[in-house]
């Protein structure tokens, strides 16, 4: 399931992020690459041990915890501390699949990567190219969102970032270990949860709500691990 979540960060938060990031020290993005990714990756990152990365990452984690769409879609068990990257003119990240396990040395966090996430921090008007291309059941999905918006997609997906031909693309990226490991099961639970939300809004006294809510929680009980 590929899901876009608009406006995870406010315009004021995005402006604050950019003011701090644009004046920070960037390093070769391969500091966090595995063997295969290093062959395809050409970008820059804020070091994962940077106090700035920790500070801004905490803001993102708080925003995620308050976003009902994210909580419903990801069913997060643990979120990897957010990292930050920048693609300038000529930079790209070729086709790759994210590593199945990720470790964060500064915090000793280690997770299974079920879901990949990209939070855009540059508006599309600031750069040409830089689209995130994700291959799924329905073909290749092209993603280029407004600053402050998030996209979630299965970490098992083959994906890439198109070369930048003008400007710079700044983003945060991270992974989620979900309580429900399988993407197809998460997608079914998300669809069911959204149907319950709509029915609750349109027909709050409908007795079907109790039955549907029970089905949702029993499926989560069957498929989930706390």
């Amino acid at each position: 399931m590929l899901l876009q979540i608009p406006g995870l960060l406010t315009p004021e938060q995005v402006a604050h992020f950019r003011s701090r990031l644009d004046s920070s020290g960037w390093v070769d993005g391969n500091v966090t690459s595995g063997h295969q990714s290093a062959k395809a990756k050409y970008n820059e990152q804020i070091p994962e041990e940077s106090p700035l990365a920790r500070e801004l990452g905490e803001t993102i984690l708080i925003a995620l915890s308050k976003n009902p769409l994210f909580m419903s879609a990801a069913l997060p068990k643990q979120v990897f501390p957010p990292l930050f990257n920048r693609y300038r003119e000529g930079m790209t990240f070729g086709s790759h699949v994210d590593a199945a396990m990720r470790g964060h040395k500064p915090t000793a966090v280690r997770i299974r990567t079920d879901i990949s996430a990209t939070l855009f921090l540059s508006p599309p008007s600031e750069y040409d190219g830089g689209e995130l291309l994700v291959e799924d059941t329905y073909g290749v999905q092209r993603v280029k969102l407004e600053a402050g918006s998030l996209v979630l997609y299965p970490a098992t997906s083959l994906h890439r970032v198109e070369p930048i031909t003008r400007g710079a693309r700044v983003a945060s990226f991270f992974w989620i270990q979900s309580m429900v490991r399988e993407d197809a099961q998460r997608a079914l639970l998300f669809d069911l949860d959204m149907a319950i939300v709509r029915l609750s809004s349109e027909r709050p006294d409908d007795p079907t709500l109790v039955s549907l809510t029970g089905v949702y929680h029993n499926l989560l009980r069957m498929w989930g691990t706390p």
Side-chain angles (χ1 to χ4, degrees), residues 192-210 212-213:
L192 179 55
D193 191 30
M194 292 299 98
I196 291 170
V197 169
R198 287 193 299 272
L199 186 59
S200 297
S201 174
E202 296 167 4
R203 296 160 60 185
D205 298 322
D206 193 319
T208 309
L209 277 169
V210 175
L212 288 177
T213 302

Side-chain angles (χ1 to χ4, degrees), residues 8 38 59 62 81 86-87 110 112 121 125 153 191 221:
L8 179 76
T59 300
I62 291 170
R86 179 173 69 181
Y87 292 81
R110 187 169 180 81
R112 182 187 68 237
L121 298 173
S125 60
Y153 53 98
D191 287 345
R221 186 176 289 112

